[in-house]
Amino acid sequence: QNSYLTASPVLKSLGRERYRRLGGGPVVGISWRGGTRAETRRRRSTRAEDWLPILSLPGVRFVNLQYGDCRDELARSHQASGAVVHDWDDSDPLVDLDGFAAQIAALDLVISVDNSTVHIAGALGVPVWNLIPFVPDWRWQMDGEETLWYSSMRLFRQSSRGIWEDVFARAARRLAEFAGASRWKQLPQTGIQNRGEAPAEPALQNEVTAPREQLPPHVATHGRNSGQGPNSVEASDRNLRPKKRG
């Protein structure tokens, strides 16, 4: 993919190792709110519950990319879908943009509403699906799935003002295709090392009925606001992270 930003190789490698430990299948980052002004935020943002068609898909590992405190929203989403959304306390773009970029660079895919996350993903060349309102920001124009700004980005547009259901239905079908691609099945423990474009027209995987694995609580916080110390690679992550300037 064409890109003009490069994430820290050290932090990206740590992110890949962290994601590998989540298990097989693609690792997908999600974000559902965006916009600074109230009207823009109202048009662009979704509710965590709206993501049920996506979060209910088996075989996909989800990572929280939403900035700010969103624990209540994730709790409601879990209640509706049973899905786990993994979260780490060292991945907040409001605190550490370099670390956030590395987290995104290590993902297989980003699915987000129109906010700064989609721009970072596009600039890094990471596959990103941008969910946009019926009247979008001027950058995305009024039709088409591709954009001149980022070659790795695909646009999922509302077909009616304020209606997100069809957007999530289309994105869920595409994600089922993406997750069902043969590369994840052949190398179930190394999906993050095999990122690439999904086949153009693979068979849809909507008929998959295999039971989901036993799920832990709705958010695997890995330290964020949990009162627990770092686990898995977090300790080495902090040792390798450059010191912040005063």
Side-chain angles (χ1 to χ4, degrees), residues 183-232:
R183 64 185 180 280
W184 309 120
K185 296 178 180 178
Q186 293 171 356
L187 297 170
Q189 296 301 321
T190 56
I192 57 171
Q193 299 175 14
N194 294 275
R195 183 172 67 216
E197 294 295 331
E201 292 294 336
L204 288 177
Q205 300 296 314
N206 291 340
E207 72 278 10
V208 173
T209 57
R212 293 181 64 92
E213 64 276 17
Q214 186 66 35
L215 296 174
H218 65 279
V219 184
T221 59
H222 306 284
R224 177 179 296 208
N225 299 318
S226 65
Q228 299 176 353
N231 61 1
S232 67

Side-chain angles (χ1 to χ4, degrees), residues 22 30 32 48 55 60-64 69-88 212-222 224-226:
L22 299 181
I30 64 169
W32 56 92
L55 295 177
V60 181
R61 313 303 173 190
F62 294 102
V63 172
N64 177 36
D69 187 355
C70 52
R71 288 172 294 173
D72 290 343
E73 293 169 280
L74 289 172
R76 292 195 301 269
S77 175
H78 170 70
Q79 189 173 15
S81 68
V84 174
V85 179
H86 296 273
D87 197 16
W88 287 272
R212 293 181 64 92
E213 64 276 17
Q214 186 66 35
L215 296 174
H218 65 279
V219 184
T221 59
H222 306 284
R224 177 179 296 208
N225 299 318
S226 65

Side-chain angles (χ1 to χ4, degrees), residues 78-198:
H78 170 70
Q79 189 173 15
S81 68
V84 174
V85 179
H86 296 273
D87 197 16
W88 287 272
D89 60 1
D90 59 354
S91 302
D92 189 343
L94 302 178
V95 176
D96 181 4
L97 192 56
D98 287 339
F100 187 65
Q103 179 188 22
I104 291 175
L107 291 165
D108 297 305
L109 174 68
V110 171
I111 305 177
S112 173
V113 299
D114 185 10
N115 58 22
S116 60
T117 299
V118 300
H119 290 279
I120 295 174
L124 290 166
V126 175
V128 52
W129 297 353
N130 188 2
L131 315 181
I132 56 178
F134 184 71
V135 180
D137 183 76
W138 62 270
R139 295 174 181 84
W140 316 128
Q141 303 181 307
M142 292 302 295
D143 55 43
E145 186 176 279
E146 298 184 355
T147 171
L148 297 174
W149 299 97
Y150 307 110
S151 62
S152 67
M153 180 179 290
R154 295 297 177 265
L155 303 173
F156 289 74
R157 302 175 181 272
Q158 284 185 344
S159 56
S160 300
R161 189 185 299 269
I163 304 301
W164 288 106
E165 284 82 356
D166 65 320
V167 175
F168 283 102
R170 281 183 276 124
R173 287 194 295 269
R174 292 279 285 274
L175 183 57
E177 296 171 1
F178 186 83
S182 59
R183 64 185 180 280
W184 309 120
K185 296 178 180 178
Q186 293 171 356
L187 297 170
Q189 296 301 321
T190 56
I192 57 171
Q193 299 175 14
N194 294 275
R195 183 172 67 216
E197 294 295 331

Side-chain angles (χ1 to χ4, degrees), residues 8-30:
S8 162
V10 172
L11 296 181
K12 180 179 177 180
S13 178
L14 287 169
R16 286 186 166 180
E17 173 61 18
R18 169 183 281 171
Y19 295 157
R20 185 188 68 80
R21 298 184 184 192
L22 299 181
V27 183
V28 179
I30 64 169

